[in-house]
Amino acid sequence: VASDTDTVDREVAAATASLALASPNYHPYTGSTSDKAKSGAVSERALESLQTEVTALSEQIDRLRRGMVEREERQRLMRWSWIRLIKSIAKHTVINSLVLLLVFMVLWRRKSPVALAIVSYIGPQIQEIMRYILRRIVFWKVTV
């Protein structure tokens, strides 16, 4: 990016090199002005105007270049990746599980037959898992 800026600066310098200000052809204290002096003032104003426009255009080019770099960076960050996919799946799984748990709790409070059937089916399995965890913790405590 810096090389493009240098190229633009070199082009601007080459274009404005021939527009150098000439020294005045009259004495500043005599008060006499000729047509050459008037045309010199006009060319000075034109030169200043061109230099102002060149500066403004250079700044605008720099802003556009920075905007392009920022946009490319944003697009690079927003690309779909495996990590982002896994995060999205995990987030949806957690939210769906919480909603399912909430619905189950409401049904269980109302003594729904569906909730009671789920509890009677999963209850013994949860008890077995809890016994297994308890045995592992106690065995670990005994061996340590």
Side-chain angles (χ1 to χ4, degrees):
V1 175
S3 62
D4 293 338
T5 306
D6 292 341
T7 304
V8 170
D9 289 343
R10 281 191 216 108
E11 289 175 2
V12 169
T16 58
S18 63
L19 300 174
L21 296 175
S23 61
N25 294 334
Y26 63 94
H27 194 276
Y29 298 114
T30 60
S32 64
T33 58
S34 64
D35 289 336
K36 287 184 180 181
K38 289 179 185 174
S39 66
V42 170
S43 65
E44 268 185 47
R45 285 194 304 268
L47 178 62
E48 288 176 6
S49 173
L50 285 173
Q51 287 175 339
T52 304
E53 289 179 23
V54 166
T55 303
L57 288 173
S58 295
E59 290 175 2
Q60 188 175 9
I61 288 171
D62 287 340
R63 270 187 273 131
L64 289 173
R65 190 173 294 128
R66 282 192 303 267
M68 284 176 36
V69 168
E70 289 172 2
R71 187 170 40 251
E72 288 172 359
E73 182 68 22
R74 264 187 271 124
Q75 287 176 350
R76 187 184 66 78
L77 291 174
M78 292 303 291
R79 279 195 207 127
W80 200 257
S81 65
W82 285 105
I83 294 171
R84 193 161 180 219
L85 177 66
I86 291 170
K87 283 182 181 179
S88 178
I89 290 171
K91 182 171 53 174
H92 282 82
T93 303
V94 167
I95 297 297
N96 288 341
S97 298
L98 290 175
V99 169
L100 184 64
L101 182 64
L102 181 66
V103 168
F104 174 75
M105 294 299 289
V106 168
L107 289 175
W108 192 31
R109 287 273 198 191
R110 292 183 179 181
K111 305 285 188 206
S112 169
V114 174
L116 296 175
I118 291 173
V119 168
S120 67
Y121 177 75
I122 295 180
Q125 294 175 358
I126 291 176
Q127 286 177 354
E128 186 62 35
I129 291 171
M130 294 303 285
R131 282 188 194 120
Y132 175 76
I133 292 172
L134 187 65
R135 280 189 221 127
R136 296 294 284 177
I137 291 173
V138 170
F139 180 72
W140 178 73
K141 283 288 195 184
V142 169
T143 58
V144 174

